[in-house]
Amino acid sequence: MSSSASITPEILLHAYAAGLFPMAEDADDEDLRWYDPSRRGVFPLDGFRISKSLAKTIRAGGFEIRIDTDFFGVLAGCAESAPGREKTWINRRIAELYGALFAHGFVHTVEAWRGDDLVGGLYGVALGGAFFGESMFHRATDASKICLTYLVARLNRGGFTLLDTQYITPHLASLGAVEISRAAYHRRLRAALPLQGDFRALPLDAPAETVLTLARGPA
């Protein structure tokens, strides 16, 4: 456990590079705890599963997908109570630290909009060729799945090799996430960090078919 006041954005980046990530017990917790679990959830970037219904929804274009336009809106959505997640680990210090990293280009969001309404999104940390997924939310059916699809497509286009989900859930497993050992995760992390991933390599107006092809990974 660390006093949150002693953690800087620079320390946070060094922690990610060492395989650690922070969480608070709940929104009222003033401290942060470092985690390096013995089993780690990752998405193989060539193994993302897109159902026929999800592909149909993406082709229908009912959402506008934006990148990096409303970090704090996404963070607020991720902190909301949801079935199976009655309390949040996102406290005030988490918001400050990741807000600072967002301002310096290390944190990114993928957002699903309907008109003026933010209806889904995710955020995470990009470092080298690794993307550390932090949290996602939805207020409309499939909105978070669509954001995740666009994220995987963007990472594949941008030359990333690691998508860290921290822990695995049945929902993430249904989309292709797998659990690997701490040692295997650290090997993948060491290989990814020297790379120069480009989060903006995929144009914002990329056609749905391009996104779906990229999200499925190399043929």
Side-chain angles (χ1 to χ4, degrees):
M1 183 169 63
S2 299
S3 169
S4 62
S6 67
I7 300 174
T8 64
E10 293 76 18
I11 288 173
L12 190 52
L13 290 179
H14 284 298
Y16 275 104
L20 303 169
F21 60 88
M23 294 177 71
E25 285 293 313
D26 55 50
D28 297 323
D29 187 4
E30 295 183 358
D31 293 314
L32 300 178
R33 291 156 179 80
W34 294 108
Y35 294 88
D36 182 13
S38 60
R39 305 291 297 176
R40 193 77 163 234
V42 299
F43 265 111
L45 290 173
D46 59 354
F48 187 66
R49 298 175 190 159
I50 305 172
S51 67
K52 291 181 179 179
S53 62
L54 180 59
K56 181 178 180 180
T57 301
I58 289 172
R59 291 187 181 104
F63 299 90
E64 179 190 355
I65 304 302
R66 303 180 191 174
I67 303 297
D68 294 344
T69 70
D70 190 0
F71 167 73
F72 287 104
V74 171
L75 193 74
C78 291
E80 291 173 350
S81 296
R85 189 184 67 191
E86 281 67 40
K87 66 177 184 176
T88 181
W89 53 268
I90 298 172
N91 66 3
R92 178 184 58 81
R93 188 57 179 149
I94 288 282
E96 292 173 347
L97 286 167
Y98 287 84
L101 290 181
F102 175 75
H104 287 88
F106 289 102
V107 163
H108 295 285
T109 63
V110 180
E111 308 154 11
W113 292 79
R114 278 183 171 161
D116 295 330
D117 296 324
L118 177 63
V119 296
L122 59 82
Y123 77 98
V125 177
L127 198 59
F131 190 89
F132 308 89
E134 284 298 315
S135 190
M136 60 184 183
F137 78 99
H138 69 276
R139 297 176 182 136
T141 301
D142 285 340
S144 60
K145 290 182 183 179
I146 290 170
C147 288
L148 188 55
T149 304
Y150 273 78
L151 172 67
V152 173
R154 186 164 291 276
L155 297 182
N156 277 324
R157 173 58 63 87
F160 289 79
T161 61
L162 176 63
L163 174 50
D164 174 14
T165 71
Q166 299 178 351
Y167 297 105
I168 195 168
T169 65
H171 172 64
L172 294 177
S174 73
L175 296 170
V178 298
E179 196 174 62
I180 61 176
S181 69
R182 178 190 288 133
Y185 172 78
H186 280 265
R187 286 195 296 270
R188 295 190 188 193
L189 178 61
R190 286 193 299 270
L193 288 175
L195 304 177
Q196 295 296 319
D198 182 359
F199 192 79
R200 297 189 173 275
L202 181 67
L204 286 173
D205 60 353
E209 287 302 329
T210 298
V211 171
L212 291 168
T213 299
L214 285 169
R216 292 187 177 102

